[in-house]
């Protein structure tokens, strides 16, 4: 488990102090994938770099599996850092070394016995699906392949934690997906805790189980990804969520609606469409779909529909309360006024 306790990071610039991280406390469970989301300048990188003491927190404590990293120095800190792998947006491979040598470099730095290095590099290349690229140079690889090498290097010394700093931001959508799947496989098969920072909600939706949203150095919302997607509280969180789950309907269409507009949220395995058709059959109301989608978050469906209900007001009210009893979250957006 990673415990971030009241951590702040203040930078001294030429003319002022900048608070990169402002009194953040978080607990990141062992074996999970935790996403930290925020716009540029929110403090994500500063916080991530505090986790392996690339940045020393100005205040607060970082504990990993009960060990207080902020108290360690010299050799002890170097040893603790070996258990924290890190990958970056721009890969940072050594261009003059082959794929093999880039990975072996991390093993030599950790004083791995010579005879074990070859086996370990072979195993790591297999894991990231790059066995045939063993002897090529980074310049001959695609972005996705470079990130796979960086992942193999980060895993070389069997870390318990992998930190990912915008690891897919330089990649196209298809390559992003393949890297996210690889991270998920590593998380499952090696039971490594992954902490990733990103400004892209679809990355979080794809692989994270918990998330935090940062703004101005602070964590403004935190929880299970599914709960945050289905019930975002902070305005900024709603803004981020809207890039994946959207209720945007053009004003021109809304202006033409004469009925009651309702937003319906179906969580988990509630069979949304059958609840809607039963409601329409049972009550004297008509329904028009204005918008609808089902997103899968951590393989759990989250259905969102925007509907216009037409009929007599008491019938509409009964229809809405019926849907609520069937575990549909109903919000009236506009009641035809
Ligand atoms: N070395 C530094 N010296 C001075 N200020 C810094 C330094 N590093 C970060 N900051 C400031 O701290 C704040 C948080 O920056 P940080 O890079 O952590 O944000 P971020 O959310 O990771 O953004 P980005 O995605 O653009 O990197 C910003 O105001 C930034 O200007």
């Amino acid at each position: 488990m990673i415990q971030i306790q009241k951590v702040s990071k203040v930078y001294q610039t030429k003319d002022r102090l900048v608070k990169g991280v402002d009194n953040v406390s978080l607990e990141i469970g062992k074996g999970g994938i935790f996403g930290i989301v925020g716009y540029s300048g929110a403090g994500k990188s500063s916080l991530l770099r505090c986790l392996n003491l690339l940045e020393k927190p100005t205040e607060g404590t970082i504990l990993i599996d009960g060990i207080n990293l902020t108290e360690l120095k010299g050799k002890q800190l170097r040893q603790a850092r070996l258990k924290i792998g890190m990958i970056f947006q721009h890969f940072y491979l050594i261009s003059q070394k082959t794929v093999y040598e880039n990975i072996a470099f991390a093993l030599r730095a950790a004083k791995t016995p010579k005879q074990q290095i070859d086996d370990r590099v072979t195993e790591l290349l297999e894991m990231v699906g790059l066995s045939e690229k063993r002897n090529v140079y980074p310049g001959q690889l695609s972005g996705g392949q470079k990130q796979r090498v960086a992942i193999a290097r980060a895993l070389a010394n069997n870390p318990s934690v992998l930190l990912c700093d915008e690891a897919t931001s330089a990649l196209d959508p298809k390559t992003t997906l393949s890297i996210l799947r690889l991270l998920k496989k590593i998380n499952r098969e090696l039971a490594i805790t992954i902490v990733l920072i990103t400004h892209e909600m679809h990355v979080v939706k794809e692989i994270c189980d918990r998330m935090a949203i940062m703004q101005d150095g602070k964590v403004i919302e935190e929880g299970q990804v599914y709960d945050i997607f289905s019930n975002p509280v902070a305005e900024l969180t709603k803004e981020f969520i809207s890039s994946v789950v959207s209720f945007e309907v053009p004003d021109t269409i809304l202006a033409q609606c004469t009925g009651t507009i309702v937003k319906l949220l179906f969580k988990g395995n509630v069979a949304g469409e059958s609840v809607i058709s039963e409601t329409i059959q049972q009550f004297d109301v008509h329904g028009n779909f204005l918008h609808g989608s089902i997103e899968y978050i951590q393989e759990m469906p989250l259905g969102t529909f925007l509907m216009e209900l037409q009929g007599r007001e008491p019938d509409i009210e009964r229809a809405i309360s019926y849907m609520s009893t069937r575990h549909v979250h109903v919000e009236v957006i506009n009641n035809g006024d």
Side-chain angles (χ1 to χ4, degrees):
M1 148 142 24
I2 303 173
Q3 291 161 288
I4 302 169
Q5 297 172 337
K6 297 185 178 169
V7 165
S8 292
K9 175 70 195 175
V10 180
Y11 297 103
Q12 171 77 62
T13 62
K14 230 192 278 166
D15 51 353
R16 64 191 186 105
L17 294 174
V18 178
K19 217 162 197 185
V21 178
D22 189 359
N23 195 21
V24 167
S25 295
L26 282 176
E27 290 207 341
I28 300 178
K30 209 174 172 60
I33 306 187
F34 194 96
I36 301 173
V37 179
Y39 286 125
S40 183
K44 309 178 297 294
S45 300
S46 300
L47 181 61
L48 198 75
R49 293 160 69 87
C50 282
L51 291 187
N52 61 358
L53 288 220
L54 272 177
E55 299 279 10
K56 192 167 168 37
T58 314
E59 275 174 65
T61 312
I62 307 278
L63 293 123
I64 297 189
D65 295 336
I67 297 171
N68 184 347
L69 292 194
T70 29
E71 275 179 349
L72 302 181
K73 292 204 171 64
K75 192 177 170 199
Q76 281 182 318
L77 179 58
R78 282 196 297 279
Q79 300 259 258
R81 274 204 186 124
L82 285 178
K83 293 289 155 204
I84 309 171
M86 188 156 182
I87 57 171
F88 304 88
Q89 179 176 2
H90 298 299
F91 326 121
Y92 298 132
L93 300 177
I94 307 167
S95 57
Q96 303 86 344
K97 288 186 188 288
T98 62
V99 164
Y100 179 96
E101 283 300 328
N102 263 280
I103 302 168
F105 186 77
L107 292 161
R108 291 196 189 103
K111 309 225 170 347
T112 307
K114 244 184 181 164
Q115 61 278 18
Q116 287 175 22
I117 289 180
D118 201 52
D119 284 351
R120 182 72 181 134
V121 176
T122 304
E123 185 182 22
L124 288 159
L125 282 173
E126 213 166 287
M127 187 184 307
V128 300
L130 277 187
S131 302
E132 79 284 9
K133 299 289 182 191
R134 185 180 179 96
N135 296 317
V136 309
Y137 287 87
Q140 298 165 273
L141 299 174
S142 69
Q145 290 169 334
K146 283 181 194 159
Q147 194 58 289
R148 283 171 188 266
V149 179
I151 291 171
R153 180 183 58 184
L155 297 179
N157 295 307
N158 293 310
S160 57
V161 175
L162 178 65
L163 307 178
C164 309
D165 187 347
E166 297 279 3
T168 56
S169 298
L171 306 174
D172 64 56
K174 197 170 156 209
T175 313
T176 292
L177 203 58
S178 76
I179 294 294
L180 294 179
R181 289 198 175 136
L182 175 61
L183 291 175
K184 201 162 188 167
K185 175 178 127 170
I186 287 163
N187 166 260
R188 281 191 182 148
E189 291 180 7
L190 308 179
I192 293 181
T193 308
I194 295 182
V195 184
L196 62 85
I197 61 172
T198 181
H199 59 277
E200 296 171 306
M201 278 313 256
H202 71 94
V203 167
V204 173
K205 183 194 131 195
E206 198 59 41
I207 62 165
C208 297
D209 40 53
R210 290 186 73 83
M211 68 183 291
I213 290 134
M214 285 189 79
Q215 184 176 34
D216 298 331
K218 298 186 179 70
V219 166
I220 58 160
E221 197 159 348
E222 191 237 333
Q224 295 277 355
V225 169
Y226 192 89
D227 293 344
I228 290 188
F229 269 74
S230 55
N231 189 23
V233 177
E235 278 311 310
L236 180 69
T237 313
K238 290 181 186 166
E239 202 175 301
F240 272 109
I241 302 295
S242 69
S243 65
V244 176
V245 180
S246 168
F247 283 109
E248 290 299 313
V249 174
D251 287 345
T252 45
I253 296 200
L254 289 180
Q256 288 165 20
C257 294
T258 52
T260 299
I261 298 172
V262 290
K263 180 165 126 180
L264 309 173
L265 199 71
F266 299 88
K267 290 195 204 175
N269 290 319
V270 172
E273 283 153 49
S274 77
V275 175
I276 292 173
S277 63
E278 280 167 34
T279 306
I280 288 176
Q281 275 165 24
Q282 282 192 38
F283 302 93
D284 196 11
V285 293
H286 297 283
N288 289 324
F289 281 109
L290 302 173
H291 175 86
S293 72
I294 297 176
E295 290 291 336
Y296 285 81
I297 295 156
Q298 296 297 294
E299 290 158 24
M300 261 231 288
L302 176 67
T304 50
F305 295 93
L306 202 60
M307 274 188 88
E308 180 190 21
L309 296 176
Q310 281 176 325
R312 292 186 323 123
E313 209 174 301
D315 292 327
I316 290 177
E317 277 171 16
R318 283 166 57 222
I320 288 174
S321 68
Y322 172 75
M323 285 195 279
S324 304
T325 64
R326 298 286 311 273
H327 308 292
V328 178
H329 179 83
V330 189
E331 189 185 328
V332 176
I333 303 284
N334 161 349
N335 54 10
D337 300 338

